[in-house]
Amino acid sequence: MTAIEQTEARPRGTRLPRRARRQQLLGAAQEVFVAQGYHSAAMDDIAERAGVSKPVLYQHFPGKLDLYLALLDQHCESLLQAVRAAIASTVDNKQRVGATMDAYFAYVGDEGGAFRLVFESDLTNEPAVRDRVDKVSLDCAKAVCEVIAEDTNLPAEESMLLAVGMCGMAQITARYWLGSGQKLPRDAAAKLVSSLSWRGIAGFPMHGAAQQY
């Protein structure tokens, strides 16, 4: 269960197990950070949204940055796992491209808006935030790079550049799709971008085979 699913309003004073309380606080923080941005959000707002006192909030998170980083860690990991799952879902490379593109569109299209913390944070001047955002982008590209390098036998540097391009395409087009009002259904939008990406990567010959993959 994600943090955003833990944010049902509870009256003050309701006792929860520590882990459940932490998830509830993360869910409340996500709603506040997504709506207001880091700089405008206040711990008072988050405590109020969670239905707890500030001392309870501070028992779990010493400060606003600690809370933000915990939330960022959670959603960076979610994106990475979604990309890895897409790659592992099939051995057909065309379907792999489609699944990976759809993973980004699903991530961006999630109603909780967590992608804004990862891709549109107003705190990227903070090294700890910048490092996490850069790392998840790099790790997603590395996951794609492994498949490209194995199947095409291209050098590591070339495989990684192609992987970064594919992941960047997925992220930017998904965000554009959402921001432009989702005029296309998500599946159709992801399929269109997948077709563009596949037509490019399919031009590289399959290692050890005469045909192109």
Side-chain angles (χ1 to χ4, degrees):
M1 183 176 290
T2 64
I4 199 67
E5 293 171 325
Q6 297 277 350
T7 58
E8 293 181 5
R10 293 183 174 88
R12 288 185 183 274
T14 300
R15 296 185 65 84
L16 291 174
R18 183 172 181 82
R19 183 173 181 179
R21 177 67 76 190
R22 178 182 171 87
Q23 285 301 110
Q24 182 206 11
L25 296 174
L26 286 170
Q30 179 177 325
E31 293 181 358
V32 174
F33 284 135
V34 167
Q36 301 181 21
Y38 178 84
H39 294 293
S40 296
M43 294 293 268
D44 285 328
D45 299 328
I46 295 168
E48 179 65 27
R49 179 68 187 86
V52 301
S53 65
K54 280 181 68 176
V56 169
L57 180 56
Y58 281 113
Q59 285 174 10
H60 292 265
F61 301 99
K64 187 168 71 166
L65 180 59
D66 300 283
L67 179 51
Y68 191 86
L69 292 177
L71 197 55
L72 191 58
D73 284 339
Q74 177 175 292
H75 291 300
C76 284
E77 182 64 19
S78 294
L79 174 61
L80 180 58
Q81 290 306 317
V83 170
R84 285 175 173 168
I87 293 169
S89 66
T90 178
V91 295
D92 182 286
N93 285 321
K94 184 175 183 179
Q95 292 179 16
R96 271 178 172 159
V97 171
T100 301
M101 294 297 161
D102 189 64
Y104 275 91
F105 273 79
Y107 183 76
V108 168
D110 183 80
E111 64 181 12
F115 84 94
R116 299 190 187 282
L117 305 179
V118 180
F119 296 137
E120 299 178 1
S121 174
D122 61 346
L123 196 60
T124 52
N125 60 333
E126 166 60 46
V129 172
R130 183 75 261 163
D131 287 348
R132 284 164 168 80
V133 172
D134 289 345
K135 185 177 186 302
V136 72
S137 296
L138 187 63
D139 286 346
C140 288
K142 284 179 178 177
V144 175
C145 173
E146 289 177 6
V147 177
I148 294 175
E150 180 180 348
D151 286 352
T152 66
N153 204 32
L154 285 171
E157 295 81 2
E158 294 181 20
S159 298
M160 190 61 183
L161 189 61
L162 290 172
V164 169
M166 291 177 69
C167 292
M169 178 192 299
Q171 183 227 127
I172 292 172
T173 54
R175 288 167 57 198
Y176 171 80
W177 163 78
L178 185 69
S180 63
Q182 305 176 53
K183 295 181 177 66
L184 289 174
R186 192 194 93 195
D187 289 349
K191 185 176 181 180
L192 186 64
V193 177
S194 173
S195 178
L196 174 62
S197 183
W198 172 247
R199 289 183 183 187
I201 197 66
F204 293 88
M206 187 80 141
H207 178 52
Q211 78 272 18
Q212 292 183 330
Y213 84 99

